[in-house]
Amino acid sequence: MCHVVVIGAGITGVTTAYELSQLGYQVTVVDRHLFPAMETSFANGGQLSACNAEVWNQKSTVLKGMKWMSQKSAPLLLNPAFSVHKYAWLMEFLGNIKHYEANTHETVRLALLARQRLFEIADKESIDFNLEKRGILHFYHNKQDYDVAIRVNDLLNKGGLERSGVSNEEIKQIEPTLTGDYYAGFYCEGDATGDIHKYTTGLAEVTKKLGVKYRFGMDVTDIEHLTSGVEVKLQPSSENVELLPNEVEMLAADAVVVCAGVGSYQLAELVQERVNVYPVKGYSITVMLNDDESQQNAPWVSLLDESAKIVTSRLGKDRFRVAGTAEFNGYNRDIRADRIQPLVDWTNRNFKVSTEHAVPWAGLRPMMPNMMPVVRRGKLERVFFNTGHGHLGWTLSAATAAMISQEVATAYPI
């Protein structure tokens, strides 16, 4: 049987393992953590959001970023300290402004395919992940922002998205817990929300029953090409206390798929490639709704506040996820209080819920300069990439996993 090693046990890696197993491959997933979905797939905004498929490559994004550099609470924050990787990424980002419309259309297409496939998998495998098919409501506070959004919405509609404009009165009807007054908004009824961690861990359990093996607590330190396959060199990660740090293991395979999120940049170098993924930090809080009043006043419809660049998801009866911000600060994973507090303040301003028990989190989004995922064969034989999904890993994963699995099947049929 043809053996494929998948590097990374986040949403992309586990979904890729599932699709490969469905095609009949023997699959081993390797991850440096002791459990699946422990990095960016742990506590993201929770939105399955085709409506958020617009890529960021616009001059206005750059201008806002420059304006916000001195504001610690700004939605987008760039650490100006010099880094070759960061500034090379930014230059490529600017170079992709000309592809803004084409890449947005393609992202919409992928998101709609992924949404359908994820629902199919969840139904087939009976995965409980607090799925809510109540749509996503995007609201604006002034005419200027809404006029810009109309042009974006037209672009999304041309890409195939069904999303319509709504008035302030309709916003209140769609989500009665909203207490403010808004200029207008857009509602995408087909989008959904869910707990990415519960989904990924649930799908991982499904794949184990299908025969997929997991090697947790292992770092990939090299990928060696052989005459008839590859060998993946493994060493215990810092989390693995059961093995000695210098215990080396060679894992033989017919092919390898890199699904390692922000770690894909370094892994690509091992196979003589440049996959220019840059880590863009995002933050979230999970508000524990421990009292009846908070449970009644927290929204069930997923929200996106344009002015604050904040999104929300209701995760069952007693959890409310609030997420936002984009921080260009390298591989720093610190949870900064001055980035968490705006999320808490926004929640307190907009809803009558208690934020006494709000659990903070930060994760690194693996972003490419063109904001498009890397889903392709590598330059070297037997190497494949499914990575760089940025802020849409949860949204796009089901489509890109199926795509890369078909690439593997075409190149190395069972």
Side-chain angles (χ1 to χ4, degrees), residues 109-286:
R109 185 186 74 84
L110 291 175
L112 294 175
L113 290 173
R115 189 170 72 187
Q116 179 181 348
R117 179 59 179 155
L118 187 142
F119 291 163
E120 290 172 354
I121 295 172
D123 287 342
K124 178 183 177 182
E125 306 298 348
S126 301
I127 301 173
D128 176 18
F129 62 106
N130 301 122
L131 174 64
E132 293 293 337
K133 294 183 178 181
R134 300 180 190 238
I136 293 178
L137 177 62
H138 194 158
F139 57 86
Y140 302 82
H141 295 261
N142 57 65
K143 183 179 185 301
Q144 181 181 359
D145 286 345
Y146 188 69
D147 286 346
V148 172
I150 290 173
R151 295 193 294 272
V152 174
N153 192 65
D154 290 343
L155 184 61
L156 296 173
N157 289 158
K158 289 178 182 177
L161 184 72
E162 294 184 8
R163 183 172 180 251
S164 55
V166 289
S167 65
N168 180 54
E169 292 73 22
E170 290 170 317
I171 288 172
K172 301 295 183 61
Q173 292 172 5
I174 294 168
E175 183 43 69
T177 64
L178 282 169
T179 57
D181 286 318
Y182 313 100
Y183 181 80
F186 289 99
Y187 181 50
C188 184
E189 191 172 357
D191 276 344
T193 57
D195 186 326
I196 187 174
H197 186 257
K198 288 181 70 173
Y199 178 85
T200 308
T201 54
L203 187 59
E205 289 303 311
V206 170
T207 63
K208 289 178 183 178
K209 294 176 183 177
L210 295 172
V212 174
K213 293 181 172 58
Y214 284 82
R215 297 302 315 276
F216 290 118
M218 302 299 285
D219 278 321
V220 174
T221 58
D222 202 3
I223 300 171
E224 298 181 7
H225 275 74
L226 306 176
T227 306
S228 58
V230 292
E231 277 195 340
V232 181
K233 184 178 180 181
L234 307 180
Q235 282 187 258
S237 71
S238 59
E239 296 181 19
N240 193 335
V241 296
E242 295 183 357
L243 298 175
L244 295 174
N246 59 352
E247 288 190 42
V248 175
E249 179 182 338
M250 302 303 291
L251 189 59
D254 296 285
V256 60
V257 185
V258 177
C259 304
V262 296
S264 301
Y265 181 81
Q266 290 79 13
L267 287 169
E269 290 183 331
L270 295 178
V271 291
Q272 304 166 37
E273 292 232 25
R274 183 174 182 270
V275 175
N276 197 16
V277 169
Y278 188 81
V280 180
K281 190 194 292 187
Y283 292 84
S284 77
I285 56 172
T286 303

Side-chain angles (χ1 to χ4, degrees), residues 61-131:
T61 305
V62 179
L63 294 173
K64 287 178 181 178
M66 294 173 65
K67 173 185 174 183
W68 287 332
M69 280 178 64
S70 61
Q71 302 176 28
K72 289 185 177 181
S73 62
L76 190 153
L77 193 62
L78 171 68
N79 183 340
F82 182 74
S83 157
V84 173
H85 184 190
K86 177 170 60 184
Y87 281 95
W89 189 96
L90 289 170
M91 291 303 294
E92 289 186 38
F93 177 91
L94 294 174
N96 278 284
I97 289 175
K98 59 181 176 289
H99 303 302
Y100 163 75
E101 288 195 12
N103 286 345
T104 295
H105 280 160
E106 176 61 8
T107 305
V108 173
R109 185 186 74 84
L110 291 175
L112 294 175
L113 290 173
R115 189 170 72 187
Q116 179 181 348
R117 179 59 179 155
L118 187 142
F119 291 163
E120 290 172 354
I121 295 172
D123 287 342
K124 178 183 177 182
E125 306 298 348
S126 301
I127 301 173
D128 176 18
F129 62 106
N130 301 122
L131 174 64

Side-chain angles (χ1 to χ4, degrees), residues 38-50:
M38 293 304 292
E39 289 206 9
T40 313
S41 300
F42 188 79
N44 75 345
Q47 291 185 330
L48 292 161
S49 53

